[in-house]
Amino acid sequence: QVQLQESGPGLVKPSQTLSLTCTVSDDSLSSGSYYWSWIRQPAGKGLEWIGRMYTSGSPKYNPSLKSRVTISADTSKNQFSLKLSSVTAADTAVYYCARANYDVLTGSRNAFHIWGQGTMVTVSS
Amino acid sequence: QSVLTQPPSVSAAPGQKVTISCSGSSSNIGNNYVSWYQQFPGTAPKLLIYDINNRPSGIPDRFSGSRSGTSATLGITGLQTGDEADYYCGTWDSSLSAVVFGGGTKLTVL
């Protein structure tokens, strides 16, 4: 079974850029069968989708974060990454990477079958 | 405020059945596939239901999903104490062009 693993700094200063990487345990990142997302969850609160990427086309971002988010991939390393700029305390959360299966027949692409364990990021000076 | 509305909490006795509702609109639940997730404290969410009513391999048939209009429902039968968790619904919102989630429902098995 494929595994996803988030990594990156656990502490980021306000106004700086949060950078996380998700390492995929197999080479499915370059497969057209999946969409790859970042999702976050502040302590004690619900889930918030940040954005996603696919093997082709432009990444898609949550409109509420679009001006600050960049998602990209390095398929040679089986990794995709998240950059969130100009962070504030409101960006403090557990960040998850997740994989959604893409069903060409039905168009389904938004159910997250595989999740990373999550990584806690705190924004503080 | 979440785009999708879930009750903050539900409860039922062991062995009983419980339903968790997820209310949205025509731009999300009404015209897109719905998924449901189970989350225990300190762990990542786990997919229970996808595409409204499909269960991934390994998910028992005690868990079911349905949709009526702009609302979706997760049903759990034969409740067990191990089902105590937070449950989230999620779907695509065509107006926002974003995946949206409900605020989550805490299930207590009394």
Side-chain angles (χ1 to χ4, degrees), chain A residues 36-62:
Chain A
W36 305 87
S37 283
W38 286 95
I39 297 162
R40 69 181 183 180
Q41 184 174 35
K45 296 188 178 181
L47 302 167
E48 180 180 30
W49 180 75
I50 299 170
R52 74 180 180 202
M53 55 155 286
Y54 185 56
T55 54
S56 61
S58 301
K60 193 173 287 292
Y61 304 128
N62 189 323

Side-chain angles (χ1 to χ4, degrees), chain B residues 68-109:
Chain B
S68 178
T70 59
S71 292
T73 301
L74 172 70
I76 311 173
T77 59
L79 275 172
Q80 304 172 1
T81 56
D83 294 331
E84 284 202 340
D86 293 324
Y87 293 83
Y88 293 90
C89 58
T91 186
W92 180 256
D93 190 295
S94 303
S95 294
L96 296 173
S97 289
V99 173
V100 292
F101 293 100
T105 298
K106 182 177 181 59
L107 169 63
T108 301
V109 181

Side-chain angles (χ1 to χ4, degrees), chain B residues 4 6-7 16 19 21 29 34 38 44 74 82 96 104-105:
Chain B
L4 306 180
Q6 296 180 235
Q16 298 300 301
T19 60
S21 61
I29 291 177
V34 180
Q38 176 189 59
L74 172 70
L96 296 173
T105 298

Side-chain angles (χ1 to χ4, degrees), chain A residues 41 60 63 96 108 110 112 116, chain B residues 37 39 44 51 88 92 96 99:
Chain A
Q41 184 174 35
K60 193 173 287 292
Y96 297 101
S108 174
N110 298 307
F112 304 106
Chain B
Y37 305 88
Q39 185 180 35
D51 296 356
Y88 293 90
W92 180 256
L96 296 173
V99 173

Side-chain angles (χ1 to χ4, degrees), chain A:
Chain A
Q1 166 113 343
V2 65
Q3 294 183 331
L4 307 182
Q5 179 67 59
E6 304 90 350
S7 60
L11 181 64
V12 181
K13 288 181 167 52
S15 80
Q16 293 190 342
T17 296
L18 178 162
S19 296
L20 296 176
T21 297
C22 181
T23 300
V24 184
S25 64
D26 64 11
D27 60 359
S28 58
L29 191 58
S30 55
S31 165
S33 299
Y34 308 104
Y35 279 74
W36 305 87
S37 283
W38 286 95
I39 297 162
R40 69 181 183 180
Q41 184 174 35
K45 296 188 178 181
L47 302 167
E48 180 180 30
W49 180 75
I50 299 170
R52 74 180 180 202
M53 55 155 286
Y54 185 56
T55 54
S56 61
S58 301
K60 193 173 287 292
Y61 304 128
N62 189 323
S64 68
L65 299 168
K66 186 175 182 178
S67 63
R68 301 194 289 133
V69 175
T70 302
I71 295 175
S72 60
D74 185 340
T75 54
S76 67
K77 295 182 179 179
N78 293 331
Q79 295 178 334
F80 67 108
S81 64
L82 167 70
K83 292 188 185 299
L84 181 65
S85 64
S86 304
V87 297
T88 69
D91 295 309
T92 294
V94 175
Y95 284 75
Y96 297 101
C97 55
R99 189 181 84 172
N101 294 359
Y102 175 44
D103 187 324
V104 176
L105 295 179
T106 65
S108 174
R109 72 194 77 185
N110 298 307
F112 304 106
H113 290 248
I114 305 293
W115 295 68
Q117 65 183 30
T119 187
M120 179 68 202
V121 178
T122 301
V123 178
S124 175
S125 56

Side-chain angles (χ1 to χ4, degrees), chain B residues 62-73:
Chain B
R62 299 190 300 109
F63 296 91
S64 64
S66 64
R67 179 180 68 181
S68 178
T70 59
S71 292
T73 301

